[in-house]
Amino acid sequence: MKLDILRHGFEHTSMPADSLADYWHPGVTEALRQQDWAKTDIRERIDLAAWQGFTADLPRDPYVNQRWKRMSWLALNDQGDIEEMGQCPMAQGGAFNDAESMADRLRYYDPLTEEFLARSDVKAFVHAWARLWSIGAHEPILMQITGVRGEGSIDPLQGQGIHADGCKALSILVLNRENVAGAENHLYADKAGTQPLVDITLNPGDILHLRDDRLFHSVDGIEQLKSEVPFERFIIIINSRFVDDFQNRMLRRYFPEAVLNESYGHSR
């Protein structure tokens, strides 16, 4: 079921719209307020070809087949500059993601490269994303480059199905989509998938913002368009304001001074 606007109410941000419009296309903040998700593109804001180059040296994901990944915990300091916080494992509680390969496990990944994080368009993106969600100083921001490549077909979520990432602010940016059929994103109002909201295909440079504490999401399997050419689909996932108490416990352990959303529970 494809819908343009669904109204759920959205307590989003106190930032004036014009300060956000310097980066995001008009209508993004209003769409988030009205329907808890928004799709736009940032092809005019970043050097997409340069960002795609950083998918070449990603280490294999030790937890998920045919996937490659790097991730870093970032935060704004008191001066508003982006800093790396250091290592902390990714942790997802079973209440949000009950897949056997994900639930209640600690997963460790190599960090994003210094060359990537030093890029001016990467810094501008993280700053703009933080403004969009009103993320303040010392709030952990998880940024990942992740994706799949191979031949034949694959489930990019590797059994996760319809799930949530256990946070309030989540965005998915597609970096490349080569020789791919499928990989359509779906949003739902419930984890069982009985209340579908929208179906979206993201192309390179497209970004999907969503209130992960109010919506659930999934993505279709991938197949090759041409059998003689391998497929690739890589994305950036960036999120913050965790409502998953498992992840918050890890963040508190590794970053004692961090500003966390520690309500311990979620309001779906």
Side-chain angles (χ1 to χ4, degrees):
M1 183 169 68
K2 297 181 183 287
L3 301 175
D4 291 325
I5 293 180
L6 294 160
R7 299 179 182 273
H8 297 284
F10 184 58
E11 298 171 7
H12 176 53
T13 174
S14 60
M15 293 290 290
D18 56 356
S19 67
L20 297 170
D22 291 340
Y23 193 93
W24 303 107
H25 289 300
V28 168
T29 54
E30 183 62 23
L32 281 170
R33 289 189 182 96
Q34 290 182 347
Q35 60 191 20
D36 293 333
W37 64 269
K39 176 192 171 187
T40 186
D41 73 85
I42 57 170
R43 284 182 280 272
E44 297 177 353
R45 307 296 188 190
I46 66 173
D47 184 339
L48 183 58
W51 286 35
Q52 290 168 343
F54 289 95
T55 67
D57 71 341
L58 295 178
R60 277 183 175 268
D61 187 326
Y63 310 98
V64 179
N65 184 41
Q66 286 186 265
R67 191 166 78 178
W68 285 257
K69 184 194 288 277
R70 289 184 185 273
M71 67 169 230
S72 289
W73 291 98
L74 310 175
L76 302 177
N77 63 21
D78 291 324
Q79 291 71 46
D81 298 323
I82 300 165
E83 295 183 343
E84 292 188 71
M85 300 184 73
Q87 188 185 61
C88 174
M90 178 184 290
Q92 282 187 313
F96 297 91
N97 189 333
D98 55 11
E100 183 178 349
S101 61
M102 306 292 168
D104 301 318
R105 294 191 178 191
L106 299 180
R107 290 176 284 151
Y108 299 84
Y109 297 99
D110 290 346
L112 300 171
T113 63
E114 293 181 6
E115 293 80 5
F116 179 73
L117 292 175
R119 291 186 57 87
S120 60
D121 55 355
V122 172
K123 293 179 180 179
F125 169 74
V126 175
H127 276 122
W129 187 86
R131 288 201 310 273
L132 179 65
W133 295 100
S134 295
I135 305 300
H138 310 296
E139 290 193 72
I141 298 170
L142 179 59
M143 188 174 188
Q144 310 170 49
I145 301 178
T146 183
V148 293
R149 58 166 66 100
E151 299 178 352
S153 61
I154 190 171
D155 172 7
L157 295 180
Q158 307 280 310
Q160 294 183 70
I162 301 172
H163 70 286
D165 287 5
C167 60
K168 290 188 174 182
L170 172 68
S171 299
I172 302 167
L173 167 67
V174 169
L175 291 181
N176 64 355
R177 178 188 169 96
E178 298 180 10
N179 198 35
V180 165
E184 185 176 45
N185 292 83
H186 307 283
L187 300 182
Y188 305 88
D190 67 320
K191 192 173 186 301
T194 64
Q195 301 176 59
L197 300 178
V198 67
D199 310 311
I200 301 171
T201 298
L202 299 176
N203 293 308
D206 287 342
I207 186 166
L208 175 64
H209 305 293
L210 62 108
R211 275 291 301 261
D212 183 73
D213 61 330
R214 297 184 177 181
L215 305 177
F216 294 86
H217 57 98
S218 70
V219 63
D220 291 335
I222 289 173
E223 295 185 359
Q224 289 170 276
L225 283 173
K226 299 178 181 178
S227 60
E228 67 274 13
V229 182
F231 64 78
E232 284 194 5
R233 182 179 181 268
F234 283 88
I235 62 177
I236 283 179
I237 303 173
I238 183 168
N239 57 333
S240 187
R241 295 262 170 89
F242 294 89
V243 294
D244 185 337
D245 64 342
F246 185 32
Q247 184 67 82
N248 274 334
R249 288 199 304 271
M250 293 303 104
L251 288 167
R252 180 59 67 212
R253 178 183 301 176
Y254 283 82
F255 310 133
E257 304 304 317
V259 175
L260 304 183
N261 181 77
E262 293 178 302
S263 57
Y264 296 108
H266 53 102
S267 56
R268 289 192 181 278

